[in-house]
Amino acid sequence: MGNSFKSAQFLIESRIADAAAGDGDALYDLGICYQTGTSGVAVDLIEAHKWFNLAAVSGFSAAQDARAEVAEDMTAREIATAQAAARAWLGTTRRLAA
């Protein structure tokens, strides 16, 4: 059981690193993980929306539909929180790239 947790944790960390490098697939994959609670993470619609939003901004068209689907189960405050988190992520990754 410990190995499967470590594998899941490695997968998430790896996808986050890929996302930080601008990989739209990684951004979308993270959204799916948080939407469905897979790869060792709990279901978190705010995180899912954040990752889908970032994937959509990077041009990943399927992310737009996924973001809309997640938003149907969120409050306006939760969506605003997710959008703020996406902006913060963009600000952090842009500073790292400079």
Side-chain angles (χ1 to χ4, degrees), residues 22-90:
D23 183 337
D25 287 327
L27 294 163
Y28 183 77
D29 289 348
L30 287 164
I32 293 292
C33 288
Y34 283 99
Q35 179 186 24
T36 60
T38 56
S39 299
V41 299
V43 171
D44 184 336
L45 297 183
I46 292 171
E47 278 295 302
H49 190 285
K50 174 184 94 173
W51 293 115
F52 287 141
N53 196 28
L54 291 165
V57 168
S58 76
F60 202 88
S61 59
Q64 295 173 2
D65 293 332
R67 178 184 59 199
E69 182 181 323
V70 167
E72 290 177 5
D73 295 325
M74 298 172 69
T75 66
R77 182 178 300 266
E78 289 170 329
I79 292 169
T81 300
Q83 290 170 335
R87 285 190 299 275
W89 171 266
L90 286 173

Side-chain angles (χ1 to χ4, degrees), residues 14-23 26-27 30 51 89 93-94 96-97:
S14 172
R15 296 316 277 162
I16 289 173
D18 293 342
D23 183 337
L27 294 163
L30 287 164
W51 293 115
W89 171 266
T93 57
R94 286 184 182 151
L96 292 175

